[in-house]
Amino acid sequence: MIASRSDTTIESIARVRLATLPTPLHRAARLEQALGAGPLYVKRDDLTGFAVAGNKARPLEFLLGAALTQDCDVLVAAGSPSSNFCAAAAVAARVAGLDCELLFPGPPPTAPSVNVELARAAGARLWFDAVPTREGLDDAVLRHADVLRDAGRRPYPLPRGGATAVGALGYAHAAAELDEQCRAAGFTPRTVVVPTGSGGTQAGIVAGQAAFGLPWRVVGASVSRPASSVKDRILVLAKDCAAMIGPDQPTEADVDVRDCRGAGFGVAGAADRATAAMALRTEGLLLDDYYGAKAMTLLRNLLAGGASTPAVYWHTGGIPAALAALREWGTPA
Ligand SMILES: *Cc1c(COP(=O)(O)O)cnc(C)c1O
């Protein structure tokens, strides 16, 4: 039972329901056999059931809850044209009755981007050439929110990936959900692997671990930022998030991040492609080049190095990119 005071607290925080929860947790017996290690479980947050938002549905539930509580009328977010978060934010804003304005670096993409088109289809207002590079986006969002405020709007500005302490509540809640499922299945995970971009997802899990006393070793596969900087960020976010739901705080020792950038964000190496092919052929899992394949390669390497099991692979989605990548793939050997 998770019946702690913290769980009661998190259930009382404002939230707009978007995802179909709980997402499934299932044992991946064929992948275990292929990897020669186990038990191995997959937490299916590719199946959150809200557009193709994957993990982004969970933080958005709490972010929109906060936006509505503060009587905001427009969500402001930013990211690259490949951003799963921007598309998810656009759809989530619309269903919650808010407008959405999205900032992108550089000109509109020349090749079609599913996420940009999804955001457009949801009715979001898109601003290209907001800044020259991704790095300037968070400041640009704040400036854009000021402009909207001056025009009489009530904006709710979000940093890239929705990585705030409030957004992290989504994965603190998910940690409790996974704990409940593991207990029902009669095991305690030793190793949990999750892909890490902005760090909001891992921060939420770490906050949930502190709040609910979960002894898992959570390892993040950092795909876009150096491990040391994302680690600092995760700890700050996790502490702020944990403070909202209970007395217990995470420490530096709770944040384990590995550098999985390889040749760059969204560039999968040969090993990642082989790992993704294995996941597809054993379990029917679609893994993308930005997040999923690299996190699975990390899990594979950790298991080969003798990491403790049972292990859980947290599938975070990335379905649009996984499908797009199939067009570029040669058939892996
Ligand atoms: C955004 C995203 C992540 C990373 O989540 P963060 O909270 O930004 O660290 C992982 N996987 C997928 C598919 C994503 O879209």
Side-chain angles (χ1 to χ4, degrees):
M1 275 254 304
I2 41 172
S4 62
R5 187 155 51 87
S6 299
D7 190 51
T8 316
T9 306
I10 202 166
E11 291 297 347
S12 70
I13 296 174
R15 188 173 158 205
V16 174
R17 302 293 170 124
L18 304 171
T20 303
L21 303 178
T23 57
L25 174 74
H26 68 71
R27 183 141 178 204
R30 290 169 299 247
L31 188 54
E32 280 172 17
Q33 208 167 16
L35 292 172
L40 173 59
Y41 292 80
V42 182
K43 176 64 170 160
R44 299 295 302 273
D45 277 9
D46 54 325
L47 302 178
T48 49
F50 184 77
V52 277
N55 66 335
K56 300 305 184 293
R58 293 186 188 266
L60 282 164
E61 291 195 341
F62 288 93
L63 292 168
L64 280 159
L68 290 180
T69 301
Q70 293 168 33
D71 198 29
C72 295
D73 64 0
V74 53
L75 206 63
V76 186
S80 63
S82 66
S83 167
N84 295 318
F85 180 70
C86 284
V91 184
R94 171 48 57 107
V95 307
L98 274 70
D99 288 334
C100 181
E101 305 218 356
L102 297 174
L103 312 186
F104 296 97
T110 45
S113 153
V114 169
N115 281 324
V116 167
E117 295 315 319
L118 185 52
R120 218 192 288 278
R125 186 160 185 192
L126 313 184
W127 298 86
F128 289 96
D129 282 320
V131 283
T133 62
R134 291 194 270 141
E135 286 63 39
L137 283 172
D138 289 348
D139 288 337
V141 163
L142 297 178
R143 286 196 302 272
H144 194 75
D146 285 339
V147 171
L148 288 169
R149 222 173 269 119
D150 288 345
R153 303 297 306 271
R154 297 183 303 279
Y156 191 82
L158 290 172
R160 279 189 289 155
T164 69
V166 169
L169 287 167
Y171 269 86
H173 184 269
E177 179 183 301
L178 176 60
D179 176 53
E180 200 166 10
Q181 290 174 311
C182 293
R183 283 168 196 267
F187 77 99
T188 303
R190 299 275 169 241
T191 305
V192 177
V193 171
V194 65
T196 286
S198 68
T201 299
Q202 190 174 350
I205 297 170
V206 168
Q209 283 189 274
F212 309 125
L214 308 175
W216 319 327
R217 176 177 170 230
V218 175
V219 188
S222 182
V223 298
S224 60
R225 302 172 197 230
S228 60
S229 69
V230 80
K231 182 175 168 156
D232 293 345
R233 218 178 126 79
I234 288 169
L235 186 57
V236 170
L237 281 173
K239 283 183 172 170
D240 289 350
C241 179
M244 285 187 261
I245 50 176
D248 293 321
Q249 283 278 305
T251 66
E252 202 188 330
D254 299 320
V255 185
D256 188 342
V257 185
R258 308 299 169 90
D259 193 329
C260 297
R261 286 175 296 167
F265 185 41
V267 185
D272 303 318
R273 287 273 166 102
T275 308
M278 178 190 284
L280 179 65
R281 292 172 185 187
T282 53
E283 302 292 340
L285 300 174
L286 278 165
L287 303 183
D288 72 317
D289 288 353
Y290 291 87
Y291 299 102
K294 288 178 175 178
M296 186 62 89
T297 299
L298 175 62
L299 174 61
R300 184 180 188 168
N301 293 339
L302 290 173
L303 291 173
S308 309
T309 54
V312 174
Y313 173 80
W314 211 314
H315 191 157
T316 50
I319 300 304
L323 294 178
L326 291 175
R327 283 187 228 133
E328 296 158 29
W329 281 35
T331 301

